[in-house]
Amino acid sequence: MSFEVFVTNLLYGLTIGSALILVASSLSLIFGVMGVVNFAHGSLAMLGAYLAYTLILLKFNFWWALILSPLVVGLLGLLIELFTLRPLYARNPLLQFFLTYGVAMIIANVVLYAWGGDALGIDKPGSLQGPVNILGVYYPKFRLFVFFFSAALALGLWLFITKTTWGVILRAGIHNRELVEAFGINMSRVFTLVFALGSALAAVAGVILGAMRNLNPVMDLDLVIGGLIAVVIGGLGSFRGAVLGALILGLSESFGAQLMPGFSKFTVYIVMVAILLWRPEGLVRGV
Amino acid sequence: MAKRDMSVTRRDFIKTTAAAGALAAAGTLTGPFVARGAAKEIKVGMVQSYSGAFSYVGERADKAIRLAFDQSKYRDVVKFFAEDDQNKPEVAVEKAQKLVEKEGVDVLVGPTAGHTALAVSEYCKTKKKLMLLVYGGNVKIAGSNCSRYTFMCGHTTYSASAPGVPWVFDHLGKEIFLIGSDYSTGRDICGWFKEIYLKKGGTVVGEAYPPLGHSEYAPFLSQIMNAKPRPKVVGGFLGGTDCVNFTKQLAEFGLKKEGIPFVTTIGSYSEKLCEAIGDAAEGMYDIFHWAPTLPHKENVEFKEAYLKFAKMEADDPAMIGYEVGTTITYALDQTGGDPDNEKLIAAIEKRKWVGPRGQCSYGPNHVIVHPGYIRQVKKVGGKLTPVVVAELGPVTTPGDATGPGGECKL
């Protein structure tokens, strides 16, 4: 493998990984705080991408679409939590999983009905088109934007969790919900906000991945599976784990496709199985 | 009482007169039609994909077949039966059995995917039932598994790729990098590219087979960029979202700017896909048998009629569906409306016509002989669309496309 090929794969792996961080970290946050494995996460990301597509058709520019679409999806997440998940918290956690699976099916069909089955594309902003030269490798500007933007957002989320009062509540809630409530904090409201925030972050990932690749009605499955693998590798409920898992996933996908083209779809799973056998609880413990 | 009775009778009289008048008016429309001897019911069974990945093919072809009958004198006597093949051979055969053995259809329009088409073709062989395929472009049906009862009206992986390769070699470059989705279609097409390039003295500088449904092509693009010698062209087959992602990324990585085009096959660059790709698609090529921009009368008329009938723009599945429909109505015309399958087959074998694709006929293995085209994506009226830039003449799928020994024996 030449130096250029190595750098290309490294950059590409980091880009995919960083976009996946947004899906995985919000998925992990929802699981960590609420104990819900949200199977509709990929669908919310997909919905975000399709909404951005429509906003751009309605003459909004890419940046407005990147802001407005996650807001709408965040609001939808809020409603989903309030009206469907909340009545199920006291029951078997499997019911929550099935519920989010049902929500995923509904969103998938709404997308298919509203936008059709053909692949669609989101126009990238003109300033982010074309390649730049990094260490002799031509790399698309938009991908660099995805990398830096996702990294900045993940850093912001990390600071929010570790440095703010809300973050303290979240971390405390992950460990002991009853104790937090004993301090007079309304955890139900926290749950709603976490689910809304997670949904909005998923939508951000959907918009940027949709612009980087394309929009299609089966992209939800790719996103949720990728997010779940990253979370499982990193450690359930751990933010740092989700970041690490997403980066490992991105790099194993890029180098796997290069080194073993025929098995590139499997390399990710091989890595996941190996890590789970080595550390069944995931790579990172704690937030 | 008597007066009341009389009043009712008068109303009845008016009603009856009006009804008789309406019937008489209808009679003047249907009269000549019946007189032409087409009163016998024609049952057309369609086993196509109405769900799943190929549902758009089934739905659009379905409308086009109905359009062809609507334009014919059989519009009032045709009865359609539509069944979803679910893209599964066993389901497709089961649905075909239902239509043939229970509903007694006269003609079957066959499944969409290649493997399901082959399964139903084998079934029709045993039942001696005429079947026409819209897609189902399995090269085996052209060769070792050909059937007297099956006609392929669309393209195959061979006819929509191999005949265009010499043009690619002559006009786009002698050094090629091959890329194909990792399944039979991608590998077969890259195989034909390779065989023809090597035979003509060209160089295959590298090959890559990404998984079907792959999203990221950076590793493969870096292989292309680092291949020695540098390829002049990238060829092979990527379809659907794979083609969208690859074409976008080819431009993003600067290969398009460098003048290295991608030549895909089987008409991957449809108008819909070009729209999803955006400007990155402009200048790319594919090999196919039709383009919406073909200017001849038959194509223009078909597109207008389809738009009016189906309320949507015509595309490839619609075009082939229409050809299937007109093939059946033509054969019925020749037999005087008699759906006897042996007579219909004899009529279809002799059919020569100019359709939306251009001059067409059926070859000795019952596979359509149609024009082949090299298309390049261009902006026409601000819209990205594949435009014919070279004509390849009549192309088809020979019985031995898959190699010696696979010849068709009807």
Side-chain angles (χ1 to χ4, degrees):
Chain A
M1 188 186 293
S2 70
F3 177 71
E4 287 84 3
V5 174
F6 175 79
V7 173
T8 306
N9 283 303
L10 184 68
L11 286 170
Y12 148 69
L14 289 173
T15 305
I16 302 304
S18 62
L20 267 179
I21 286 174
L22 299 181
V23 181
S25 60
S26 47
L27 195 62
S28 188
L29 194 66
I30 290 172
F31 178 79
V33 177
M34 303 165 64
V36 173
V37 178
N38 181 19
F39 201 80
H41 212 62
S43 313
L44 290 164
M46 174 171 76
L47 189 63
Y50 275 94
L51 284 175
Y53 168 81
T54 301
L55 286 168
I56 289 168
L57 277 190
L58 294 173
K59 305 293 176 203
F60 286 88
N61 69 26
F62 177 80
W63 305 111
W64 274 111
L66 186 58
I67 295 165
L68 292 177
S69 166
L71 282 178
V72 175
V73 175
L75 186 68
L76 178 69
L78 189 137
L79 296 174
I80 290 172
E81 198 280 337
L82 274 180
F83 294 106
T84 66
L85 276 171
R86 186 167 285 190
L88 298 181
Y89 287 136
R91 299 175 179 232
N92 187 336
L94 257 184
L95 291 177
Q96 296 157 17
F97 175 78
F98 287 133
L99 179 104
T100 58
Y101 185 78
V103 171
M105 293 293 111
I106 291 170
I107 294 175
N109 280 287
V110 166
V111 165
L112 196 61
Y113 183 77
W115 285 280
D118 294 317
L120 302 171
I122 292 178
D123 281 341
K124 295 189 256 303
S127 55
L128 293 178
Q129 287 182 11
V132 285
N133 191 334
I134 303 169
L135 301 171
V137 170
Y138 283 96
Y139 200 70
K141 277 185 205 165
F142 189 77
R143 283 167 182 257
L144 275 188
F145 157 74
V146 169
F147 175 67
F148 286 115
F149 177 75
S150 306
L153 215 54
L155 183 69
L157 195 59
W158 171 245
L159 291 174
F160 172 75
I161 291 171
T162 54
K163 305 285 179 199
T164 65
T165 315
W166 272 95
V168 172
I169 295 170
L170 284 184
R171 280 183 290 143
I174 289 173
H175 291 293
N176 195 330
R177 183 186 166 177
E178 285 78 16
L179 194 64
V180 178
E181 283 178 330
F183 281 96
I185 292 162
N186 184 348
M187 277 308 279
S188 292
R189 196 176 295 163
V190 174
F191 278 21
T192 309
L193 291 175
V194 163
F195 200 83
L197 176 71
S199 304
L201 278 173
V204 171
V207 178
I208 56 176
L209 279 167
M212 201 163 83
R213 298 170 175 170
N214 66 73
L215 278 57
N216 61 75
V218 291
M219 65 189 282
D220 54 343
L221 201 63
D222 267 355
L223 290 167
V224 76
I225 298 286
L228 283 171
I229 292 175
V231 168
V232 169
I233 290 175
L236 286 170
S238 163
F239 179 84
R240 283 180 298 145
V243 171
L244 191 63
L247 290 176
I248 290 174
L249 195 69
L251 289 170
S252 61
E253 193 181 323
S254 67
F255 283 98
Q258 181 73 63
L259 298 170
M260 299 184 283
F263 297 95
S264 61
K265 282 269 176 191
F266 302 106
T267 46
V268 196
Y269 295 98
I270 293 167
V271 170
M272 183 182 82
V273 169
I275 290 176
L276 281 183
L277 287 174
W278 174 48
R279 282 177 76 99
E281 70 280 13
L283 290 173
V284 180
R285 284 182 194 169
V287 180
Chain B
M1 188 74 187
K3 198 176 175 185
R4 194 174 159 198
D5 281 347
M6 191 61 194
S7 154
V8 171
T9 309
R10 214 168 20 237
R11 265 208 299 274
D12 279 352
F13 173 75
I14 292 165
K15 275 185 195 168
T16 313
T17 313
L23 277 174
T28 56
L29 296 174
T30 54
F33 174 69
V34 175
R36 282 200 297 263
K40 193 174 177 204
E41 188 176 65
I42 306 291
K43 291 182 178 177
V44 176
M46 298 187 281
V47 183
Q48 303 191 88
S49 288
Y50 290 98
S51 65
F54 293 125
S55 59
Y56 76 98
V57 175
E59 283 161 10
R60 289 166 206 198
D62 179 299
K63 287 189 173 79
I65 293 164
R66 289 173 198 266
L67 166 65
F69 272 89
D70 193 67
Q71 290 176 335
S72 77
K73 60 187 177 187
Y74 310 99
R75 58 179 290 178
D76 296 321
V77 291
V78 67
K79 190 175 178 190
F80 290 105
F81 298 82
E83 293 285 346
D84 182 11
D85 68 19
Q86 296 174 26
N87 203 15
K88 292 174 188 155
E90 69 280 9
V91 174
V93 170
E94 198 182 294
K95 298 288 177 73
Q97 276 172 339
K98 181 185 161 196
L99 293 185
V100 172
E101 293 167 34
K102 187 166 167 252
E103 305 294 351
V105 297
D106 298 306
V107 184
L108 209 59
V109 175
T112 309
H115 61 308
T116 50
L118 179 61
V120 178
S121 177
E122 289 299 305
Y123 164 75
C124 286
K125 209 187 271 183
T126 62
K127 289 288 164 190
K128 298 190 172 173
K129 179 56 62 185
L130 171 61
M131 177 173 80
L132 292 98
L133 291 170
V134 176
Y135 269 34
N138 193 323
V139 288
K140 280 188 178 169
I141 304 174
S144 55
N145 290 77
C146 67
S147 163
R148 170 170 170 65
Y149 298 92
T150 300
F151 285 85
M152 295 177 85
C153 306
H155 53 273
T156 63
T157 48
Y158 181 90
S159 70
S161 63
V165 178
W167 186 92
V168 177
F169 177 87
D170 292 337
H171 295 86
L172 299 179
K174 294 173 177 49
E175 291 82 30
I176 193 166
F177 189 101
L178 298 175
I179 188 161
S181 290
D182 194 10
Y183 74 117
S184 57
T185 302
R187 291 215 171 241
D188 282 352
I189 289 174
C190 286
W192 290 317
F193 261 93
K194 192 173 182 177
E195 188 186 325
I196 295 165
Y197 255 74
L198 295 180
K199 211 178 271 177
K200 285 177 81 73
T203 312
V204 176
V205 301
E207 293 174 57
Y209 297 96
L212 189 65
H214 204 58
S215 305
E216 291 298 329
Y217 291 88
F220 308 104
L221 287 162
S222 66
Q223 276 182 32
I224 296 171
M225 291 161 87
N226 287 284
K228 289 188 178 59
R230 190 84 148 176
K232 297 275 191 313
V233 57
V234 179
F237 173 69
L238 295 170
T241 54
D242 291 2
C243 185
V244 174
N245 290 328
F246 181 75
T247 310
K248 274 181 157 184
Q249 290 166 33
L250 188 87
E252 284 175 355
F253 278 80
L255 286 168
K256 184 188 165 191
K257 211 173 179 182
E258 214 181 293
I260 302 177
F262 178 45
V263 183
T264 184
T265 43
I266 325 184
S268 289
Y269 287 122
S270 65
E271 285 185 325
K272 274 274 172 206
L273 221 63
C274 290
E275 198 184 318
I277 297 166
D279 287 345
E282 197 173 2
M284 301 295 152
Y285 295 87
D286 68 6
I287 300 167
F288 208 40
H289 58 174
W290 179 70
T293 46
L294 282 172
H296 63 280
K297 181 172 71 87
E298 289 77 5
N299 190 40
V300 174
E301 284 175 0
F302 155 68
K303 285 198 311 172
E304 284 172 3
Y306 187 79
L307 181 63
K308 201 172 161 193
F309 185 82
K311 309 277 181 292
M312 61 170 80
E313 295 279 351
D315 57 2
D316 182 59
M319 185 277 294
I320 307 177
Y322 184 69
E323 297 272 63
V324 164
T326 58
T327 297
I328 302 170
T329 55
Y330 166 86
L332 286 167
D333 283 347
Q334 301 308 303
T335 63
D338 183 355
D340 176 77
N341 276 196
E342 292 301 329
K343 289 179 186 167
L344 290 177
I345 289 168
I348 294 171
E349 281 175 338
K350 289 187 195 123
R351 188 182 186 211
K352 287 182 172 49
W353 77 104
V354 178
R357 279 175 277 197
Q359 181 66 51
C360 297
S361 60
Y362 288 99
N365 55 352
H366 285 187
V367 177
I368 197 160
V369 181
H370 54 68
Y373 299 110
I374 300 287
R375 314 188 308 178
Q376 188 178 24
V377 180
K378 293 184 178 182
K379 264 194 180 150
V380 179
K383 186 180 177 187
L384 288 163
T385 187
V387 174
V388 170
V389 291
E391 294 184 17
L392 302 169
V395 303
T396 188
T397 306
D400 58 355
T402 46
E407 292 85 354
C408 165
K409 294 180 190 76
L410 284 183

